[in-house]
Amino acid sequence: MTLPDGTVGPRAKCKFCPKNYTTTKGGTGHLRRHMQKCMPKHVQVPNTTQTQLQRHPDGSVMTWHYDAAHARECLARYIAQTDQPINFGDCVFFQEFITSAFCPQMQIVSRTTTRNDLIKMFKTQRDDLTAELQHLTVSIALTSDIWNACSKQDYLCVTGHYLDSECRIQKKILGFRPMDFAHTSDNIFAVILSVLETYDITHRILSITLDNASANTKSIALFTERNIPQAGGYFFHQRCACHIINLVVQSGLKKVSNRIERIRDAISWIGSSNPRFQEFGRHCTLNGLRPRRFQTDMPVRWNSTYLMLKNCLEYDTTISGFYNMKLAESGCPPAQSLTPDDWYVAKIFVEFLQVFYNATVTLSGVYYPTSSQAIHQIVEMSDMLNTYREDDLLGDAVVAMETKFKKYWSEMPFLYALGVIVDPRIKLAGLEYLLEFTGNKLSIDYSEQITDIRNKLFEVFSIYERRFGGIHTEPSPEPDRQPLPTSWSILKRRKKDKSASSSSSTTRSAASSGAELNRFLEAQFDADENTENFDLLLWWKTYSYRYPVLSHLARDILVIPVSTVSSEQAFSTSGRIIEPRRNCLTPEMVEVLICIRDWEHARKRMQNETVDEQFIQNFSNLYVDEGSASNQVQN
């Protein structure tokens, strides 16, 4: 290369800029320094780190990028789903965990930011739910109950039940509002009405299931004055069946309380000190039993008494031997000792209460119709009452329970009756037999009620016929089948005799209109039809083309819950949210957290996982030779 002075010498020319540099004996450091400055200006150096991919639901993939807004939304959803404190994202240890193990870009999220994200999420999901409810083709059923928080604030929970487009029962908490005034009928009505107006569904409510408080009953009259009830108001007010079962069982417990009290005292005394419990454990080992502890019951929850007795029956002789021995050593009178009669009453009472316990569990369901199960459970409970009425030790308890049972169910609720009538395997003829069976067990005459039920059925159908008479639907695939209730064995024993034929002919003459309903009822009753894996809601979806009006009626009544347990479950959740360390939460924020949690569980259909599962575990599997149980004993 020719230099400016005319001499020729080696030169270096940059590839990215016109500069020339001499090459001298001094080295090439000046060339390296120029390259470090020049290259970044003209060449985009590729990222040598490996990219992260995320997969879409359709199977496609794309490069993952950190989105701070999306991360905050997921954090807020997690906090609501798992009952975490709102300042969970503000914890430096949580940030260290996320940044070191998952995402270095994660930033601390303040309590205020999380609160705003939760409110935004709540409003978005509430708007989506409002839109969903507006497009329903069926009615909405409500349950409601009142709860007192540790913060000395009362709350009223309103839960909505409805069928989605796939004919699946959905349960959503619509409101969790503070009750700032006395629990009067006017205030209950005002709070529930405010929730309905929030979603603009006042005109779509078919029923409200409440407990037996007198204020709840009086509030129904206020709804009626506003012309809110649909379908002639026949289904609008439903009393919680599980509350009635509780009243029935509690009346019987009072009659055997003295014997149960001695068992309760014994297991409470055994577990009252560690040395005494350890001695009892050695006593169990000597008698060939695994050492375990026992949980005492809560008088206000009869199912806890049932679980207490059920879990200690296997250890009856061991408990009695140890307890009576210690009483004798301390000089207590023999009258305080446990006797075989005490355990006999406990054993029989557990067998007796099993039917009532199963009925409570069945009628507390979320994702299946409970209105079609109510009479089946009533039949089985009446059969159990009749079986033990003459028992020498349980007779007084059974008589007391039967009196309370008749007080509420000597007049069968129309919803329960219609719930089995729309079952194509039972219909009106099967209902007559079930009521006759129950009446014979408890000396109740249901004959006049059957006539009244039949007349109401055609009246309600005529209301639906005027509303849906011009609707036509297309056939759907055949439904899957699900197991029948256990009381089905009663119907199987029924023979197709002349009484069934006379029932059908009576039905035909009962109404001059309602050809579709008559066509459904005239189909031959057969207790062996579809006896396994029968899905009642899916059956009505499938045959809606054949019974377009009746299918609307059937699906409306099948979605009505017969208990308020779905609302009461929210109180157990809120008990974890409004714990003593968090009782400063505002009522508005409590509603936000409760609703988001419930809606997220509804999205995953996890609401059938009731809090009673943990309640049951508190009474079972308390063996001290297992790690978890040992920890519980030590704690």
Side-chain angles (χ1 to χ4, degrees), residues 266-337:
I267 62 178
S268 178
W269 181 85
I270 290 172
S272 60
S273 70
N274 287 338
R276 188 179 297 154
F277 177 75
Q278 291 168 2
E279 186 178 357
F280 174 73
R282 293 190 292 270
H283 187 75
C284 290
T285 303
L286 291 176
N287 285 274
L289 295 172
R290 294 173 63 186
R292 63 159 293 171
R293 69 182 298 217
F294 301 96
Q295 182 81 320
T296 55
D297 62 338
M298 294 172 285
V300 295
R301 299 189 65 173
W302 73 266
N303 52 345
S304 68
T305 304
Y306 164 79
L307 292 171
M308 177 190 71
L309 296 175
K310 179 181 179 182
N311 283 283
C312 69
L313 282 177
E314 184 182 355
Y315 289 72
D316 54 355
T317 57
T318 304
I319 293 174
S320 292
F322 180 78
Y323 182 66
N324 293 342
M325 177 182 64
K326 292 300 180 181
L327 286 180
E329 291 177 357
S330 61
C332 293
Q336 298 181 13
S337 302

Side-chain angles (χ1 to χ4, degrees), residues 67-80 86 89 106-125 589 592-593 596:
D67 186 341
H70 180 68
R72 294 203 322 267
E73 179 184 349
C74 292
L75 175 63
R77 181 177 288 109
Y78 174 79
I79 288 174
I86 297 179
M106 179 68 182
Q107 301 175 356
I108 286 182
V109 183
S110 68
R111 173 188 175 90
T112 301
T113 301
T114 301
R115 179 182 180 278
N116 294 335
D117 290 339
L118 286 166
I119 294 175
K120 179 181 178 181
M121 182 184 301
F122 167 73
K123 292 180 178 179
T124 300
Q125 294 191 14
M589 200 63 207
V592 168
L593 292 170
I596 291 179

Side-chain angles (χ1 to χ4, degrees), residues 355-397:
V355 171
F356 295 86
Y357 183 81
N358 291 342
T360 300
V361 173
T362 299
L363 300 181
S364 302
V366 175
Y367 295 135
Y368 58 84
T370 55
S371 56
S372 62
Q373 296 289 328
I375 283 187
H376 290 287
Q377 301 304 321
I378 289 176
V379 166
E380 296 188 11
M381 287 186 287
S382 65
D383 190 27
M384 183 61 67
L385 290 171
N386 178 72
T387 301
Y388 285 93
R389 185 184 295 114
E390 304 300 330
D391 187 271
D392 293 337
L393 295 176
L394 290 182
D396 291 342

Side-chain angles (χ1 to χ4, degrees), residues 450-520:
I450 292 174
T451 302
D452 185 55
I453 289 170
R454 184 186 299 113
N455 294 334
K456 288 181 179 178
L457 169 63
F458 279 90
E459 291 176 11
V460 172
F461 179 80
S462 64
I463 295 174
Y464 275 76
E465 193 171 33
R466 290 192 295 270
R467 182 178 176 186
F468 300 105
I471 295 178
H472 299 282
T473 57
E474 296 296 328
S476 302
E478 287 292 327
D480 297 329
R481 308 189 188 284
Q482 295 181 353
L484 291 172
T486 54
S487 63
W488 198 257
S489 59
I490 298 173
L491 287 171
K492 282 188 174 182
R493 294 198 299 266
R494 179 181 184 273
K495 302 299 182 181
K496 301 175 185 178
D497 53 14
K498 296 181 179 180
S499 62
S501 301
S502 61
S503 298
S504 298
S505 61
T506 305
T507 300
R508 286 193 297 270
S509 61
S512 58
S513 60
E516 179 184 318
L517 176 58
N518 277 315
R519 189 169 69 251
F520 172 78

Side-chain angles (χ1 to χ4, degrees), residues 151 158 260 277 319 325 345 373 467 551 598 601 632:
S151 59
V158 179
I260 294 177
F277 177 75
I319 293 174
M325 177 182 64
V345 171
Q373 296 289 328
R467 182 178 176 186
S551 65
D598 180 74
H601 280 71
Q632 292 177 7

Side-chain angles (χ1 to χ4, degrees), residues 87-97 108-109:
N87 61 354
F88 183 78
D90 202 11
C91 176
V92 294
F93 299 106
F94 172 72
Q95 185 196 32
E96 181 181 353
F97 167 65
I108 286 182
V109 183

